Every structure is written in structure tokens, then in C-alpha cells.
Amino acid sequence: MANRTCVNMVIHMLLIMQAWLLCECSVQFTNTSTNLRRVLLTDYDAQVRPALKTQVSLQMVLVSLNSIDTATQSMSVNCLWFTTWRDERLTWNSNQYNGTDFLALQKTEVWTPPLVVSNEMNKVGPIGQEGVPLRVFHDGKMLWIPPTRLETSCTIDISNYPFDVQACIINITGWTYATDELDLHTDPDKPITLELYSAHGEWELTHTSASLSDFNGGFNKQYRDIQYSLTFRRRWQYYGLTLLLPLILSSCLMTGVFAVPVESGEKIGYSLTVLLSFTVLLTLISDSLPAISTRTSALQIYLTLVMNLGTLITFLTTLVLWLYYQDDKKPLAHGTLLLYRVMAGCASVKPKSRTVRPQGMVLEDSDISRTTSSMNTPRTKTCSTNVSSAWSDKGGKHEVAEDVTWQDFAKCLDAFFLRVFTFIFIAVTVVFLGVMYGTYYAST
């Protein structure tokens, strides 16, 4: 029992000694840091740059992409700026200060390079907030990492929307100081760091780069810009399901008006409903694109073309209805019959039987019936054979009495237009998607 008591007393004494040592070290560190700050900042002028030509190295650490707004042509990002330079006025021997090799100071206490993002849209000014400290190392090296949220202008290319690729640039310059006073540069091997970057749901980061650009700022002084380029590619899967798929399906529905029977009385209503859906889609797309005339989206061209075709289809549907309800007593002209036989062959519609008789001969109804039945042998005809037969009948010594009504002619037009416009829509859609996909994957 006595041994246990002794052990407990020893443990308590050790804990008390450890706490005292920690407290003593903390007080010693505080006193050392206070003395060091006083020594370094005495007679220090934060308005004067460290040297005649101060070299400042800048590296961008991209944290996240907030948005790329195509309507306002802007990009918003969160990033850090690893900024380093050397200030010989802030050096000390670490052995004389209990091994203290760095010190944290406020931005207002020392000189910091006035770095400005020149294409900032909200508030143009030096980067870095007042409360962001910086590190001063014993050899005079300065490390400053100010966090920033930038909204910069970005020239948007909407030509391939929604399969578009956007390249946005962040221009940063050393304000006031020329290149012979402030040598601003970046790491050529790794100007942009992506270790902290979080992937965006809509945009995929595909390429980063940086370049230096010197320009004449007047008074024979050269100034320098660092242009950080960020290339993003839009993830098209969401737009494919919510925009492109309904668009293609609506295109298919538009040609279906020619398959609706005239007797249903729904042809005009069907056509106008599909055309209205295209107008709504065009409005939705226009709201998400900038109102500029220098670039035109291929999707807008496609929608406009399809809408014009839909307007033409509505007009042709009206024409079919007008022909269908013509008076049956009004005979079809020879040119109309010729057009009927040509379209019947092209649309794979079996034409009405023809009654052939010598010129000037009049047949009784019973003779017409017998002649019609004898001529009603199925034959395979093409567009060319129908045209040639029609012309040879006209120029020969026989007359053609064809039992074709206006209703037959209107139905033939429906079948012909159905095939023609289906082919047009398929061709236009395949070309549109082929060009968009090719440009999208070529950007990789």
C-alpha cells in the first residue's frame, strides 16, 4: 500500500513539472517573439519595397469552380495565391532567438506586392484581405497565401452549345510598379496547382496554362501581366436527356402529321401543337445564351431550321386538306394526274387503275368496267417509269381515263410528304449531332 502511494506521488510530481516546463516554454516563446517583432519592425517602412528590383513569384492554387455564366459571360472561381519574395530588412539569426526560424506578421505591418486582377467584374483592387497574415522566415523569405473569390470576364463561345469548350483567362498584374521595379513571374513547370481542386458537376477542367505578357504603360515603362488560362469542357449528359432527346423526339413527331388520316379532323391541331413545342424549346435555349451576334449556336440554327420546316409542314397540311375536300365532279387536270403517278411511284403507293382507249372512242359503263378489270394487273413501277408512261400516254394515239379522285390525290400527297420530310429530318439531325460530337471529342 505504501509503495502505491509513493508511485502516485511520483506521477503527480512529474505531471506538475511537465506543466511548469510547458508554461515556461510558452512564456519564453512569447517573450522571444515579442522581442523579435520589436527588433524587426523598428524603423521598418512598409511603404517602401525591399529592393531596387524585387522579384515576386506567384503560383495559383485552384480550389473550386463556382460557375461559368454564359448569359453574363463571366467565370467565378475560388483560389489561393502562393506569393513569395525576399525582404532583406527582415532577417535574423535564429540561434539568438531560441531557434525561432519564422514569424507571423500582418499584411499592414510589412510591404506586400500590390497584385490586381485586371479583368475582375465586381470590384477591382489589390488581392488579399487585411486580416490574412503572412510568414517571415529568418533568411528574409516572405510567404503570403491570400484566399480570393474571383468573378472575371470570360469570352464565351456558344458555337457548339451544349457540347462547348470554354477557355477563360485570369489577368493579374503588379499595380504601379514597372518590370524594372517589380519582376513578376511564375513557375514555368507548374504555374497552377490542382491538389485542392474539387470537381464541378457541370464543367470538366481539361487544361491549365500560364503566360507572361509585357505591355507599354506609358512614360517608357514596361508592365507585366500573368495570364492564367483555364479550359473547361461542359458535361453534356444532363443536356442530352433534358434538351436534345426531347428535341429529336419532337422532330420525329412533326413528320407524323402526314400519317394522321384526314377524316380524323386532327391534322392541323397536331401540327400546330408540335410547332408550339419547338417554339418553347427555342425560348428556353435563348434565355441561357448571351445576346450577342458575333457567335451563333449550332443548336439555335438547328432549331430555327426545324421550326421553319414545321411551318412548311403546316402549310402543306393545309394544302392537303384543301385538296381533299375539293368537289368530286371537278376533274383532275392531266398535269395533276402526271404528278399523282410520279408521287405514287416515289411513295410506294399503288396507283389507281387506268382505262386506255383509242382517241375519240366513247365507251359504255359496262365496257369501262371490263376494260378496267383487264388493265388492273399489279406492276412494279418507279418514279422514272411513271413519268415516262404518263408522257407516252399523252403523246400517243390513246387517251387515258384514270379513276383518280381528289381524295386519292390528297392521300398520295400525305404519303409522299411523309417520306420526304422524314428523310430531311433524319439527315439534318445526323449532320448536327455528328458535327457536335466531332468537335466535342476533338477538344480532348
Side-chain angles (χ1 to χ4, degrees):
M1 188 70 177
N3 292 335
R4 248 175 111 180
T5 304
C6 292
V7 171
N8 289 334
M9 290 179 62
V10 171
I11 293 175
H12 283 220
M13 291 179 63
L14 291 175
L15 291 175
I16 292 173
M17 291 179 62
Q18 182 181 8
W20 179 81
L21 289 174
L22 289 174
C23 184
E24 183 70 20
C25 292
S26 177
V27 172
Q28 186 178 7
F29 169 77
T30 303
N31 293 333
T32 301
S33 298
T34 302
N35 293 333
L36 182 57
R37 283 175 56 88
R38 184 170 55 251
V39 171
L40 292 177
L41 297 180
T42 300
D43 298 329
Y44 183 91
D45 191 349
Q47 303 300 320
V48 179
R49 66 181 186 275
L52 181 63
K53 185 176 182 179
T54 304
Q55 293 187 351
V56 178
S57 178
L58 191 62
Q59 185 183 47
M60 180 182 181
V61 181
L62 185 62
V63 177
S64 63
L65 170 69
N66 298 323
S67 64
I68 295 179
D69 195 335
T70 56
T72 60
Q73 299 196 73
S74 62
M75 175 188 67
S76 176
V77 295
N78 293 329
C79 61
L80 306 174
W81 299 100
F82 268 66
T83 313
T84 59
W85 68 95
R86 192 173 297 276
D87 194 336
E88 297 296 338
R89 296 172 295 178
L90 301 175
T91 59
W92 69 92
N93 188 348
S94 60
N95 295 326
Q96 297 179 359
Y97 293 92
N98 297 324
T100 303
D101 57 354
F102 77 91
L103 194 64
L105 299 177
Q106 292 296 320
K107 174 188 175 183
T108 56
E109 296 179 311
V110 297
W111 181 89
T112 55
L115 303 176
V116 175
V117 178
S118 58
N119 61 337
E120 170 70 34
M121 295 188 65
N122 290 332
K123 182 180 179 182
V124 179
I127 64 173
Q129 301 174 2
E130 295 295 336
V132 179
L134 50 84
R135 279 198 172 197
V136 183
F137 294 91
H138 67 92
D139 58 353
K141 181 180 179 181
M142 315 287 288
L143 175 61
W144 186 38
I145 313 175
T148 55
R149 178 187 176 94
L150 300 175
E151 185 174 354
T152 59
S153 59
C154 179
T155 302
I156 301 297
D157 184 3
I158 60 172
S159 301
N160 298 319
Y161 176 86
F163 301 94
D164 51 333
V165 177
Q166 306 298 339
C168 298
I169 295 177
I170 299 176
N171 289 326
I172 188 166
T173 184
W175 204 255
T176 303
Y177 295 106
T179 54
D180 58 349
E181 300 165 342
L182 181 65
D183 186 10
L184 189 62
H185 61 277
T186 186
D187 186 354
D189 298 326
K190 199 173 184 180
I192 301 177
T193 303
L194 300 176
E195 279 79 4
L196 301 180
Y197 179 70
S198 300
H200 194 267
E202 182 180 0
W203 295 94
E204 176 187 1
L205 180 63
T206 60
H207 181 69
T208 62
S209 64
S211 61
L212 304 179
S213 175
D214 293 343
F215 60 94
N216 187 1
F219 302 99
N220 295 324
K221 290 290 186 179
Q222 293 290 320
Y223 296 85
R224 177 169 295 170
D225 267 344
I226 300 181
Q227 298 179 348
Y228 292 93
S229 177
L230 305 174
T231 303
F232 295 94
R233 184 175 64 179
R234 192 191 298 269
R235 304 179 192 271
W236 62 269
Q237 288 79 4
Y238 170 79
Y239 296 92
L241 294 175
T242 60
L243 180 63
L244 295 181
L245 184 60
L247 180 62
I248 295 174
L249 293 178
S250 298
S251 301
C252 297
L253 290 176
M254 187 170 288
T255 59
V257 67
F258 296 115
V260 177
V262 177
E263 295 82 359
S264 66
E266 298 293 335
K267 291 179 74 70
I268 291 295
Y270 178 96
S271 179
L272 292 177
T273 301
V274 177
L275 186 61
L276 180 61
S277 69
F278 265 91
T279 305
V280 174
L281 285 174
L282 185 59
T283 303
L284 294 176
I285 294 174
S286 299
D287 291 341
S288 63
L289 297 178
I292 56 176
S293 300
T294 55
R295 298 280 186 177
T296 303
S297 172
L299 181 60
Q300 286 180 311
I301 297 175
Y302 175 78
L303 278 175
T304 303
L305 178 61
V306 171
M307 190 170 64
N308 291 333
L309 289 175
T311 304
L312 178 60
I313 287 175
T314 304
F315 171 76
L316 293 177
T317 302
T318 306
L319 176 63
V320 168
L321 291 174
W322 180 75
L323 293 174
Y324 185 85
Y325 289 105
Q326 288 290 309
D327 189 0
D328 291 337
K329 297 180 180 180
K330 181 180 179 181
L332 276 71
H334 183 80
T336 305
L337 292 174
L338 172 63
L339 182 62
Y340 165 77
R341 299 200 60 83
V342 171
M343 290 190 300
C346 295
S348 302
V349 176
K350 184 178 179 181
K352 285 276 189 168
S353 59
R354 299 189 303 166
T355 302
V356 182
R357 54 187 171 84
Q359 187 173 4
M361 179 179 178
V362 179
L363 296 180
E364 299 294 335
D365 292 342
S366 58
D367 296 332
I368 294 177
S369 300
R370 289 193 300 270
T371 306
T372 301
S373 61
S374 65
M375 296 296 294
N376 197 19
T377 303
R379 293 185 297 173
T380 303
K381 286 183 174 286
T382 62
C383 295
S384 58
T385 56
N386 285 327
V387 174
S388 60
S389 62
W391 279 108
S392 51
D393 287 339
K394 179 182 178 182
K397 297 182 179 180
H398 294 79
E399 293 181 355
V400 180
E402 191 148 14
D403 302 326
V404 179
T405 64
W406 287 105
Q407 290 79 9
D408 298 329
F409 182 60
K411 291 179 180 179
C412 182
L413 280 178
D414 263 344
F416 178 75
F417 290 150
L418 176 63
R419 286 160 176 78
V420 170
F421 281 97
T422 299
F423 173 78
I424 292 175
F425 277 114
I426 291 176
V428 170
T429 303
V430 169
V431 170
F432 165 72
L433 293 178
V435 172
M436 294 295 100
Y437 272 106
T439 305
Y440 182 79
Y441 287 105
S443 63
T444 59

PDB file of all heavy atoms in Angstrom, residues 186-211:
ATOM      1  N   THR A 186       6.209  33.458 -62.631  1.00  0.00           N
ATOM      2  CA  THR A 186       5.550  32.271 -62.094  1.00  0.00           C
ATOM      3  C   THR A 186       6.383  31.045 -62.408  1.00  0.00           C
ATOM      4  O   THR A 186       7.343  31.110 -63.207  1.00  0.00           O
ATOM      5  CB  THR A 186       4.138  32.112 -62.691  1.00  0.00           C
ATOM      6  OG1 THR A 186       3.467  31.031 -62.046  1.00  0.00           O
ATOM      7  CG2 THR A 186       4.197  31.834 -64.182  1.00  0.00           C
ATOM      8  N   ASP A 187       6.054  29.934 -61.783  1.00  0.00           N
ATOM      9  CA  ASP A 187       6.779  28.689 -62.016  1.00  0.00           C
ATOM     10  C   ASP A 187       6.422  28.170 -63.405  1.00  0.00           C
ATOM     11  O   ASP A 187       5.260  27.833 -63.666  1.00  0.00           O
ATOM     12  CB  ASP A 187       6.391  27.653 -60.955  1.00  0.00           C
ATOM     13  CG  ASP A 187       7.219  26.381 -61.049  1.00  0.00           C
ATOM     14  OD1 ASP A 187       8.006  26.258 -62.004  1.00  0.00           O
ATOM     15  OD2 ASP A 187       7.084  25.512 -60.168  1.00  0.00           O
ATOM     16  N   PRO A 188       7.371  28.092 -64.335  1.00  0.00           N
ATOM     17  CA  PRO A 188       7.026  27.651 -65.695  1.00  0.00           C
ATOM     18  C   PRO A 188       6.581  26.195 -65.765  1.00  0.00           C
ATOM     19  O   PRO A 188       5.846  25.810 -66.674  1.00  0.00           O
ATOM     20  CB  PRO A 188       8.319  27.882 -66.485  1.00  0.00           C
ATOM     21  CG  PRO A 188       9.396  27.855 -65.459  1.00  0.00           C
ATOM     22  CD  PRO A 188       8.805  28.396 -64.200  1.00  0.00           C
ATOM     23  N   ASP A 189       7.026  25.367 -64.815  1.00  0.00           N
ATOM     24  CA  ASP A 189       6.661  23.949 -64.835  1.00  0.00           C
ATOM     25  C   ASP A 189       5.297  23.685 -64.197  1.00  0.00           C
ATOM     26  O   ASP A 189       4.585  22.773 -64.613  1.00  0.00           O
ATOM     27  CB  ASP A 189       7.729  23.116 -64.108  1.00  0.00           C
ATOM     28  CG  ASP A 189       9.090  23.210 -64.786  1.00  0.00           C
ATOM     29  OD1 ASP A 189       9.116  23.325 -66.036  1.00  0.00           O
ATOM     30  OD2 ASP A 189      10.111  23.200 -64.078  1.00  0.00           O
ATOM     31  N   LYS A 190       4.937  24.476 -63.195  1.00  0.00           N
ATOM     32  CA  LYS A 190       3.672  24.246 -62.500  1.00  0.00           C
ATOM     33  C   LYS A 190       3.085  25.579 -62.063  1.00  0.00           C
ATOM     34  O   LYS A 190       3.086  25.919 -60.880  1.00  0.00           O
ATOM     35  CB  LYS A 190       3.894  23.329 -61.297  1.00  0.00           C
ATOM     36  CG  LYS A 190       2.625  22.672 -60.792  1.00  0.00           C
ATOM     37  CD  LYS A 190       2.958  21.644 -59.723  1.00  0.00           C
ATOM     38  CE  LYS A 190       1.696  20.921 -59.276  1.00  0.00           C
ATOM     39  NZ  LYS A 190       1.989  19.913 -58.223  1.00  0.00           N
ATOM     40  N   PRO A 191       2.570  26.360 -63.006  1.00  0.00           N
ATOM     41  CA  PRO A 191       2.017  27.671 -62.635  1.00  0.00           C
ATOM     42  C   PRO A 191       0.699  27.580 -61.885  1.00  0.00           C
ATOM     43  O   PRO A 191       0.343  28.481 -61.141  1.00  0.00           O
ATOM     44  CB  PRO A 191       1.844  28.368 -63.979  1.00  0.00           C
ATOM     45  CG  PRO A 191       1.671  27.253 -64.955  1.00  0.00           C
ATOM     46  CD  PRO A 191       2.509  26.119 -64.452  1.00  0.00           C
ATOM     47  N   ILE A 192      -0.049  26.473 -62.102  1.00  0.00           N
ATOM     48  CA  ILE A 192      -1.349  26.285 -61.448  1.00  0.00           C
ATOM     49  C   ILE A 192      -1.347  24.933 -60.750  1.00  0.00           C
ATOM     50  O   ILE A 192      -1.047  23.906 -61.366  1.00  0.00           O
ATOM     51  CB  ILE A 192      -2.503  26.370 -62.452  1.00  0.00           C
ATOM     52  CG1 ILE A 192      -2.505  27.727 -63.170  1.00  0.00           C
ATOM     53  CG2 ILE A 192      -3.846  26.137 -61.762  1.00  0.00           C
ATOM     54  CD1 ILE A 192      -3.569  27.868 -64.220  1.00  0.00           C
ATOM     55  N   THR A 193      -1.663  24.937 -59.457  1.00  0.00           N
ATOM     56  CA  THR A 193      -1.705  23.715 -58.662  1.00  0.00           C
ATOM     57  C   THR A 193      -3.148  23.263 -58.491  1.00  0.00           C
ATOM     58  O   THR A 193      -4.031  24.073 -58.205  1.00  0.00           O
ATOM     59  CB  THR A 193      -1.061  23.949 -57.284  1.00  0.00           C
ATOM     60  OG1 THR A 193       0.270  24.418 -57.470  1.00  0.00           O
ATOM     61  CG2 THR A 193      -1.025  22.676 -56.473  1.00  0.00           C
ATOM     62  N   LEU A 194      -3.364  21.946 -58.653  1.00  0.00           N
ATOM     63  CA  LEU A 194      -4.724  21.401 -58.612  1.00  0.00           C
ATOM     64  C   LEU A 194      -4.915  20.405 -57.475  1.00  0.00           C
ATOM     65  O   LEU A 194      -5.911  19.667 -57.473  1.00  0.00           O
ATOM     66  CB  LEU A 194      -5.052  20.715 -59.945  1.00  0.00           C
ATOM     67  CG  LEU A 194      -4.988  21.592 -61.196  1.00  0.00           C
ATOM     68  CD1 LEU A 194      -5.245  20.752 -62.435  1.00  0.00           C
ATOM     69  CD2 LEU A 194      -5.967  22.754 -61.116  1.00  0.00           C
ATOM     70  N   GLU A 195      -3.993  20.373 -56.499  1.00  0.00           N
ATOM     71  CA  GLU A 195      -4.121  19.413 -55.401  1.00  0.00           C
ATOM     72  C   GLU A 195      -5.370  19.649 -54.565  1.00  0.00           C
ATOM     73  O   GLU A 195      -5.942  18.711 -54.005  1.00  0.00           O
ATOM     74  CB  GLU A 195      -2.893  19.481 -54.491  1.00  0.00           C
ATOM     75  CG  GLU A 195      -1.684  18.720 -55.006  1.00  0.00           C
ATOM     76  CD  GLU A 195      -0.941  19.488 -56.080  1.00  0.00           C
ATOM     77  OE1 GLU A 195      -1.335  20.648 -56.367  1.00  0.00           O
ATOM     78  OE2 GLU A 195       0.033  18.954 -56.656  1.00  0.00           O
ATOM     79  N   LEU A 196      -5.820  20.879 -54.474  1.00  0.00           N
ATOM     80  CA  LEU A 196      -7.003  21.208 -53.662  1.00  0.00           C
ATOM     81  C   LEU A 196      -8.266  21.376 -54.499  1.00  0.00           C
ATOM     82  O   LEU A 196      -9.317  21.752 -53.962  1.00  0.00           O
ATOM     83  CB  LEU A 196      -6.747  22.505 -52.868  1.00  0.00           C
ATOM     84  CG  LEU A 196      -5.550  22.498 -51.915  1.00  0.00           C
ATOM     85  CD1 LEU A 196      -5.427  23.838 -51.216  1.00  0.00           C
ATOM     86  CD2 LEU A 196      -5.684  21.377 -50.884  1.00  0.00           C
ATOM     87  N   TYR A 197      -8.187  21.090 -55.785  1.00  0.00           N
ATOM     88  CA  TYR A 197      -9.326  21.375 -56.662  1.00  0.00           C
ATOM     89  C   TYR A 197     -10.441  20.351 -56.475  1.00  0.00           C
ATOM     90  O   TYR A 197     -10.197  19.136 -56.407  1.00  0.00           O
ATOM     91  CB  TYR A 197      -8.874  21.373 -58.124  1.00  0.00           C
ATOM     92  CG  TYR A 197      -9.998  21.636 -59.104  1.00  0.00           C
ATOM     93  CD1 TYR A 197     -10.582  22.891 -59.194  1.00  0.00           C
ATOM     94  CD2 TYR A 197     -10.482  20.614 -59.908  1.00  0.00           C
ATOM     95  CE1 TYR A 197     -11.615  23.129 -60.082  1.00  0.00           C
ATOM     96  CE2 TYR A 197     -11.508  20.849 -60.807  1.00  0.00           C
ATOM     97  CZ  TYR A 197     -12.067  22.108 -60.884  1.00  0.00           C
ATOM     98  OH  TYR A 197     -13.098  22.342 -61.763  1.00  0.00           O
ATOM     99  N   SER A 198     -11.671  20.842 -56.379  1.00  0.00           N
ATOM    100  CA  SER A 198     -12.865  19.992 -56.293  1.00  0.00           C
ATOM    101  C   SER A 198     -13.579  20.022 -57.639  1.00  0.00           C
ATOM    102  O   SER A 198     -13.854  21.100 -58.181  1.00  0.00           O
ATOM    103  CB  SER A 198     -13.806  20.495 -55.188  1.00  0.00           C
ATOM    104  OG  SER A 198     -13.163  20.485 -53.933  1.00  0.00           O
ATOM    105  N   ALA A 199     -13.887  18.833 -58.151  1.00  0.00           N
ATOM    106  CA  ALA A 199     -14.509  18.732 -59.473  1.00  0.00           C
ATOM    107  C   ALA A 199     -15.885  19.388 -59.474  1.00  0.00           C
ATOM    108  O   ALA A 199     -16.635  19.328 -58.490  1.00  0.00           O
ATOM    109  CB  ALA A 199     -14.609  17.272 -59.897  1.00  0.00           C
ATOM    110  N   HIS A 200     -16.217  20.006 -60.605  1.00  0.00           N
ATOM    111  CA  HIS A 200     -17.509  20.668 -60.782  1.00  0.00           C
ATOM    112  C   HIS A 200     -18.484  19.727 -61.458  1.00  0.00           C
ATOM    113  O   HIS A 200     -18.091  18.869 -62.264  1.00  0.00           O
ATOM    114  CB  HIS A 200     -17.312  21.939 -61.616  1.00  0.00           C
ATOM    115  CG  HIS A 200     -18.482  22.865 -61.584  1.00  0.00           C
ATOM    116  ND1 HIS A 200     -19.489  22.835 -62.527  1.00  0.00           N
ATOM    117  CD2 HIS A 200     -18.824  23.855 -60.711  1.00  0.00           C
ATOM    118  CE1 HIS A 200     -20.385  23.765 -62.253  1.00  0.00           C
ATOM    119  NE2 HIS A 200     -20.008  24.397 -61.158  1.00  0.00           N
ATOM    120  N   GLY A 201     -19.776  19.870 -61.125  1.00  0.00           N
ATOM    121  CA  GLY A 201     -20.780  18.960 -61.675  1.00  0.00           C
ATOM    122  C   GLY A 201     -21.098  19.202 -63.133  1.00  0.00           C
ATOM    123  O   GLY A 201     -21.463  18.268 -63.857  1.00  0.00           O
ATOM    124  N   GLU A 202     -20.962  20.437 -63.612  1.00  0.00           N
ATOM    125  CA  GLU A 202     -21.330  20.752 -64.994  1.00  0.00           C
ATOM    126  C   GLU A 202     -20.125  20.907 -65.909  1.00  0.00           C
ATOM    127  O   GLU A 202     -20.212  20.574 -67.098  1.00  0.00           O
ATOM    128  CB  GLU A 202     -22.143  22.048 -65.026  1.00  0.00           C
ATOM    129  CG  GLU A 202     -22.626  22.433 -66.411  1.00  0.00           C
ATOM    130  CD  GLU A 202     -23.429  23.723 -66.420  1.00  0.00           C
ATOM    131  OE1 GLU A 202     -23.605  24.317 -65.333  1.00  0.00           O
ATOM    132  OE2 GLU A 202     -23.886  24.138 -67.497  1.00  0.00           O
ATOM    133  N   TRP A 203     -19.000  21.371 -65.368  1.00  0.00           N
ATOM    134  CA  TRP A 203     -17.834  21.663 -66.187  1.00  0.00           C
ATOM    135  C   TRP A 203     -16.656  20.788 -65.770  1.00  0.00           C
ATOM    136  O   TRP A 203     -16.377  20.635 -64.581  1.00  0.00           O
ATOM    137  CB  TRP A 203     -17.445  23.139 -66.067  1.00  0.00           C
ATOM    138  CG  TRP A 203     -18.473  24.067 -66.604  1.00  0.00           C
ATOM    139  CD1 TRP A 203     -19.469  24.685 -65.906  1.00  0.00           C
ATOM    140  CD2 TRP A 203     -18.634  24.484 -67.966  1.00  0.00           C
ATOM    141  NE1 TRP A 203     -20.237  25.459 -66.734  1.00  0.00           N
ATOM    142  CE2 TRP A 203     -19.748  25.357 -68.008  1.00  0.00           C
ATOM    143  CE3 TRP A 203     -17.945  24.208 -69.148  1.00  0.00           C
ATOM    144  CZ2 TRP A 203     -20.178  25.951 -69.176  1.00  0.00           C
ATOM    145  CZ3 TRP A 203     -18.365  24.804 -70.309  1.00  0.00           C
ATOM    146  CH2 TRP A 203     -19.470  25.658 -70.327  1.00  0.00           C
ATOM    147  N   GLU A 204     -15.965  20.266 -66.770  1.00  0.00           N
ATOM    148  CA  GLU A 204     -14.781  19.435 -66.544  1.00  0.00           C
ATOM    149  C   GLU A 204     -13.525  20.230 -66.921  1.00  0.00           C
ATOM    150  O   GLU A 204     -13.420  20.736 -68.032  1.00  0.00           O
ATOM    151  CB  GLU A 204     -14.868  18.165 -67.391  1.00  0.00           C
ATOM    152  CG  GLU A 204     -13.644  17.273 -67.305  1.00  0.00           C
ATOM    153  CD  GLU A 204     -13.701  16.129 -68.290  1.00  0.00           C
ATOM    154  OE1 GLU A 204     -14.686  16.044 -69.063  1.00  0.00           O
ATOM    155  OE2 GLU A 204     -12.745  15.324 -68.304  1.00  0.00           O
ATOM    156  N   LEU A 205     -12.596  20.325 -65.980  1.00  0.00           N
ATOM    157  CA  LEU A 205     -11.348  21.042 -66.232  1.00  0.00           C
ATOM    158  C   LEU A 205     -10.436  20.170 -67.085  1.00  0.00           C
ATOM    159  O   LEU A 205     -10.061  19.067 -66.682  1.00  0.00           O
ATOM    160  CB  LEU A 205     -10.675  21.397 -64.904  1.00  0.00           C
ATOM    161  CG  LEU A 205      -9.346  22.157 -64.992  1.00  0.00           C
ATOM    162  CD1 LEU A 205      -9.545  23.515 -65.649  1.00  0.00           C
ATOM    163  CD2 LEU A 205      -8.736  22.328 -63.605  1.00  0.00           C
ATOM    164  N   THR A 206     -10.073  20.642 -68.258  1.00  0.00           N
ATOM    165  CA  THR A 206      -9.279  19.841 -69.193  1.00  0.00           C
ATOM    166  C   THR A 206      -7.855  20.340 -69.372  1.00  0.00           C
ATOM    167  O   THR A 206      -6.969  19.554 -69.719  1.00  0.00           O
ATOM    168  CB  THR A 206      -9.961  19.808 -70.574  1.00  0.00           C
ATOM    169  OG1 THR A 206     -10.086  21.154 -71.087  1.00  0.00           O
ATOM    170  CG2 THR A 206     -11.342  19.169 -70.478  1.00  0.00           C
ATOM    171  N   HIS A 207      -7.603  21.632 -69.141  1.00  0.00           N
ATOM    172  CA  HIS A 207      -6.256  22.143 -69.413  1.00  0.00           C
ATOM    173  C   HIS A 207      -6.030  23.434 -68.632  1.00  0.00           C
ATOM    174  O   HIS A 207      -6.954  24.238 -68.444  1.00  0.00           O
ATOM    175  CB  HIS A 207      -6.083  22.407 -70.913  1.00  0.00           C
ATOM    176  CG  HIS A 207      -4.729  22.919 -71.282  1.00  0.00           C
ATOM    177  ND1 HIS A 207      -3.591  22.144 -71.205  1.00  0.00           N
ATOM    178  CD2 HIS A 207      -4.318  24.139 -71.717  1.00  0.00           C
ATOM    179  CE1 HIS A 207      -2.551  22.853 -71.585  1.00  0.00           C
ATOM    180  NE2 HIS A 207      -2.963  24.067 -71.897  1.00  0.00           N
ATOM    181  N   THR A 208      -4.798  23.607 -68.157  1.00  0.00           N
ATOM    182  CA  THR A 208      -4.396  24.841 -67.491  1.00  0.00           C
ATOM    183  C   THR A 208      -3.044  25.284 -68.041  1.00  0.00           C
ATOM    184  O   THR A 208      -2.214  24.447 -68.428  1.00  0.00           O
ATOM    185  CB  THR A 208      -4.286  24.655 -65.963  1.00  0.00           C
ATOM    186  OG1 THR A 208      -3.283  23.673 -65.680  1.00  0.00           O
ATOM    187  CG2 THR A 208      -5.612  24.230 -65.363  1.00  0.00           C
ATOM    188  N   SER A 209      -2.824  26.578 -68.058  1.00  0.00           N
ATOM    189  CA  SER A 209      -1.550  27.120 -68.522  1.00  0.00           C
ATOM    190  C   SER A 209      -1.415  28.549 -68.027  1.00  0.00           C
ATOM    191  O   SER A 209      -2.378  29.143 -67.517  1.00  0.00           O
ATOM    192  CB  SER A 209      -1.453  27.070 -70.056  1.00  0.00           C
ATOM    193  OG  SER A 209      -2.438  27.907 -70.644  1.00  0.00           O
ATOM    194  N   ALA A 210      -0.203  29.084 -68.174  1.00  0.00           N
ATOM    195  CA  ALA A 210       0.062  30.469 -67.781  1.00  0.00           C
ATOM    196  C   ALA A 210       1.097  31.049 -68.731  1.00  0.00           C
ATOM    197  O   ALA A 210       1.976  30.326 -69.243  1.00  0.00           O
ATOM    198  CB  ALA A 210       0.546  30.541 -66.339  1.00  0.00           C
ATOM    199  N   SER A 211       0.985  32.331 -68.969  1.00  0.00           N
ATOM    200  CA  SER A 211       1.927  33.016 -69.863  1.00  0.00           C
ATOM    201  C   SER A 211       2.160  34.423 -69.353  1.00  0.00           C
ATOM    202  O   SER A 211       1.304  35.015 -68.683  1.00  0.00           O
ATOM    203  CB  SER A 211       1.393  33.048 -71.297  1.00  0.00           C
ATOM    204  OG  SER A 211       0.160  33.752 -71.353  1.00  0.00           O
TER     205      SER A 211
END
